[in-house]
Amino acid sequence: MKAAVFNTYTGPVEIIDVPVPELAADSVLIDVHAASINPIDNILREGYLKDMIPLTFPHVMSYDVSGVITAVGTDVTGFKTGDAVFARAHQEDAGALAEVARVKASALALKPANLSHLEAASIPLAGLTAWQALIDKADLKHGQKVLIHAGSGGVGTLAIQIAKYLGALVATTVSARNSKLVSSLGADVVIDYKEQDFTEVIADYDVVFDMSGGEVMENSFKVLKKGGHLVSIKGQDTDDLATKYGVSFDWFFMEPNGDQLTKLADMTTKGTLKPVIDSTYAFTDAAKAYDKLAEGHAVGKIVIDMKAA
């Protein structure tokens, strides 16, 4: 089968022939209709996590997949051949950017009928990251106040909507050109990070969800109330600022979770969660898609149409 791979750390994205993954008892094979790409893909390619997540080569890229099941493992229940599904594949199954993907049944959810494969593929990693940050880690409640950094990004656009679904008041940081978008998604307070210092705009927040790290994360402690919670996917609290400010801190990697993805699917069916797609590329242009991702200015998600001519 054809797959988008890199053959060495820092190597280029290439489309080559690789073996079709073997069906495992706990997994399914999927005819991939669409995949989406995430910053973690480029981070892995640059070798920044090779001690934590060692790779074998050629490494098939991407985790987010939407498609149709073509084969079902002997231990799989609840899914059948012909089902339209979407998922964030586990690390050992990484390889959504291929004609066929293997995914554990535990990571699967049925694709909402109201979403195209392109829209569905944009949700899993970003949506699960937002869900796990706001619900599993921060335990965000109705009536609480949350600051979501980078609100126009892939995770941010979904995090805003999930926070509003939970009944929170949402502040977010974006550039001015994306203020209307995040307002349309439900943001109550929109902060232009290029012109405003968020620490001077808001205070006494219950939760901050950080996707920037560095000074942004460090300054985020200042806007939390005592007992508040900062969750980051980018930085770690090496200076123990949480103790200084009397708050809690979590840094985490998201985990594939089909049950949570099903809840996100239900939200899309009800119209309370809408994917935001920055751009779509043909499979043959996968390298260009990753170049676009590396620029860091995508609004929502970049999606690969595996069936485009």
Side-chain angles (χ1 to χ4, degrees):
M1 67 174 184
K2 299 291 185 184
V5 309
F6 57 97
N7 278 292
T8 183
Y9 291 116
T10 72
V13 177
E14 303 175 271
I15 295 176
I16 65 171
D17 288 310
V18 300
V20 174
E22 294 184 8
L23 179 64
D26 63 350
S27 302
V28 304
L29 295 183
I30 296 173
D31 174 26
V32 181
H33 286 232
S36 73
I37 64 178
N38 298 279
I40 185 65
D41 300 346
N42 278 333
I43 291 170
L44 286 171
R45 182 159 62 110
E46 290 300 317
Y48 295 129
L49 297 177
K50 60 183 176 182
D51 292 334
M52 182 185 301
I53 307 175
L55 304 178
T56 57
F57 300 105
H59 179 75
V60 182
M61 302 191 72
S62 180
Y63 297 91
D64 285 335
V65 58
S66 183
V68 177
I69 295 176
T70 58
V72 178
T74 54
D75 295 343
V76 173
T77 59
F79 297 96
K80 65 184 185 301
T81 301
D83 282 345
V85 293
F86 68 135
R88 192 283 196 185
H90 286 77
Q91 180 63 41
E92 59 267 35
D93 296 321
L97 207 45
E99 292 176 319
V100 178
R102 181 181 64 200
V103 179
K104 293 183 186 300
S106 61
L108 284 176
L110 293 173
K111 183 184 76 66
N114 64 315
L115 295 187
S116 68
H117 283 290
L118 294 172
E119 292 170 322
S122 75
I123 291 174
L125 187 149
L128 289 171
T129 300
W131 183 280
Q132 291 169 19
L134 297 175
I135 297 176
D136 294 351
K137 298 297 182 182
D139 193 25
L140 185 65
K141 300 293 187 184
H142 186 279
Q144 290 187 324
K145 297 188 292 184
V146 58
L147 168 62
I148 297 169
H149 284 297
S152 63
V155 177
T157 52
L158 298 178
I160 290 169
Q161 296 176 77
I162 292 169
K164 292 306 296 182
Y165 167 76
L166 295 171
L169 182 145
V170 179
T172 191
T173 55
V174 293
S175 62
R177 68 187 179 95
N178 294 320
S179 60
K180 288 184 179 180
L181 168 66
V182 295
S183 293
S184 73
L185 298 176
D188 301 287
V189 180
V190 180
I191 302 167
D192 179 357
Y193 72 88
K194 293 183 178 180
E195 300 293 336
Q196 297 173 286
D197 179 347
F198 69 90
T199 65
E200 297 179 357
V201 178
I202 62 172
D204 295 323
Y205 267 52
D206 300 281
V207 174
V208 175
F209 181 21
D210 165 60
M211 288 163 274
S212 300
E215 289 186 7
V216 171
M217 189 197 80
E218 293 171 3
N219 287 331
S220 293
F221 285 98
K222 301 175 183 178
V223 304
L224 286 168
K225 63 173 58 173
K226 293 291 185 182
H229 201 134
L230 196 158
V231 181
S232 180
I233 59 172
K234 207 64 179 288
Q236 300 194 42
D237 183 17
T238 54
D239 295 326
D240 196 20
L241 294 174
T243 297
K244 174 183 176 181
Y245 287 97
V247 300
S248 301
F249 176 83
D250 270 304
W251 170 87
F252 80 107
F253 267 139
M254 61 76 59
E255 293 289 338
N257 188 310
D259 291 338
Q260 292 177 349
L261 194 55
T262 296
K263 293 175 182 177
L264 292 170
D266 290 342
M267 289 178 64
T268 68
T269 300
K270 295 172 182 175
T272 54
L273 185 71
K274 298 178 181 179
V276 177
I277 294 177
D278 175 274
S279 49
T280 302
Y281 289 79
F283 179 41
T284 51
D285 289 328
K288 294 180 181 178
Y290 276 107
D291 288 343
K292 165 79 171 180
L293 179 68
E295 294 173 1
H297 302 300
V299 177
K301 290 296 297 294
I302 297 172
V303 182
I304 308 296
D305 185 348
M306 298 296 294
K307 299 298 185 181

